[in-house]
Amino acid sequence: MPTSRQTRTPIDLIGRPSKQTLVDAFKGKPLTSLRTPALVIDRAVFAANCALMHKTAQEWGAKFRAHLKSHKTVEGSRLQLVSTASQTDAVIVSTVMEAWEVFRSGLVTEGIVKDILYGLPVAVNKIADLSDLWDAIAAHGAVIRLHVDHPDQIAALEAFESQRTDVRRWSVFVKVDCGDKRAGVPAASPAFESFLTRVVSSPAVSLFGFYCHQGGSYVSTSHDQASSFLSQELEAVNTAAGLALALLAESPDASVHSVPFVLSVGSTPTAHAASTATRLRLEQQLNGTLELHAGNYPLLDLQQLNTSLIQPERISQCVLATVISYYPGRGTDGSDEAMCDAGAVAMSKDRGPIEGFGEVIGKKWRLGRVSQEHGILTKTGAAAFGKSAADSEILQIGEQIHIVGQHACLIVAAHPWIYICDSDTGEADTVVDIWVPWKGW
């Protein structure tokens, strides 16, 4: 394996807008007064989604691990971790920057977060950085966990620890490929048992569990389909854990690994399908304890709406845009088109089974095409969200519209801050707070 130069997260070099300055500038203002494009989250809907996911995990008899990647904010993280239904102290982050921000935000020192999982197979050039983070959070009783899916990652951890005077074991999830070829090794492959043998015999790691994410579940259009994907995830991690138990039965170092293993499964669609009924359908003996993970669920979007597992009113985010031009009869079928000031940068270019890049709330229009900084609005047969407004077929230049996009995670990543409203307090049309997302890698 080539020697990897260690890199550091530029946590002190990346400046973010001042939350207090933004709150002073915007709190109390109507949404109609905002410069567009503007990303808005209804805090009440966001919080209700978090509570519902906690209830789902409880119903399924599983612990819950919250993925913070969708919004990357301290305020949203608090709602994901402590809801009206339950709480968890385990999170997943998709970047090392997020992990450092979780620590810097006070979530660890307050005891709200005690378990941080770095969500990618560990990059060998980031081990020293992750080690520094481990030292920082360990002082507050928290732990960092890693994903591994290749022998060279184990070798790199061993090489790093060999240079330390106080050698440690990194807590790891083995990433299992459950068929979508996203990350991990298939549990049924010959390479898996060889890799697992390498893991359990390493002096630098402690096997904590097995992790699976079925990205293909986003094409689900029914509860049964999502349940099928969930079953694939469970079968993959359970098979993997069974192999590990057999290896540990013959290992002199069995005590350094975490048994029972944690079997971590989920995506937002499969997590929505988790229920008492699906739990009872598990016929095989589980080789560990269940953990459910998900990330998109507080926000939701058109991709999630297409699964039929959510209702439109559960989508907590939208992008405000302004109609800037109008083109009568320009459509291929002779219908009208219009232009708005939200394009690919504001909405992303992600697509899904629902046509276009976004649906206009209460209007018979969608975001049909996008360029970098503008979008083309095209006519639809019906409004996607609730009843059509009386003027649903009409767009006026200068009118503000609300667009729900395809993929909330990428949409949020594009915006420098998020305007927060709250329908529970009667302030659905007023800015009540500003959330500033964590940026960088």
Side-chain angles (χ1 to χ4, degrees), residues 351-427:
R351 305 194 73 161
I354 294 176
E355 187 179 344
F357 297 91
E359 294 280 345
V360 180
I361 297 176
K363 298 278 189 177
K364 294 181 180 179
W365 292 82
R366 69 165 49 98
L367 190 62
R369 307 190 299 276
V370 290
S371 295
Q372 180 173 326
E373 300 294 356
H374 71 270
I376 300 301
L377 301 164
T378 56
K379 300 291 287 290
T380 64
F385 295 89
K387 294 181 179 179
S388 301
D391 61 348
S392 63
E393 297 194 32
I394 301 171
L395 290 177
Q396 302 288 346
I397 291 179
E399 177 181 358
Q400 186 186 88
I401 55 175
H402 296 208
I403 306 173
V404 173
Q406 289 282 2
H407 189 183
C409 307
L410 287 188
I411 292 170
V412 173
H415 291 258
W417 59 81
I418 307 166
Y419 298 95
I420 305 301
C421 64
D422 196 315
S423 54
D424 272 358
T425 62
E427 298 170 290

Side-chain angles (χ1 to χ4, degrees), residues 37-41 69-71 296 299-303 315 317-320 342-351 357-359 367 403-418 437 439:
L39 175 63
V40 176
I41 288 176
K69 73 177 183 70
S70 295
H71 56 86
N296 178 278
L299 297 168
L300 302 175
D301 47 38
L302 290 188
Q303 290 182 355
I315 299 175
Q317 56 79 31
C318 69
V319 173
L320 309 185
V345 173
M347 301 299 303
S348 93
K349 279 194 170 182
D350 263 19
R351 305 194 73 161
F357 297 91
E359 294 280 345
L367 190 62
I403 306 173
V404 173
Q406 289 282 2
H407 189 183
C409 307
L410 287 188
I411 292 170
V412 173
H415 291 258
W417 59 81
I418 307 166
K439 301 290 186 180

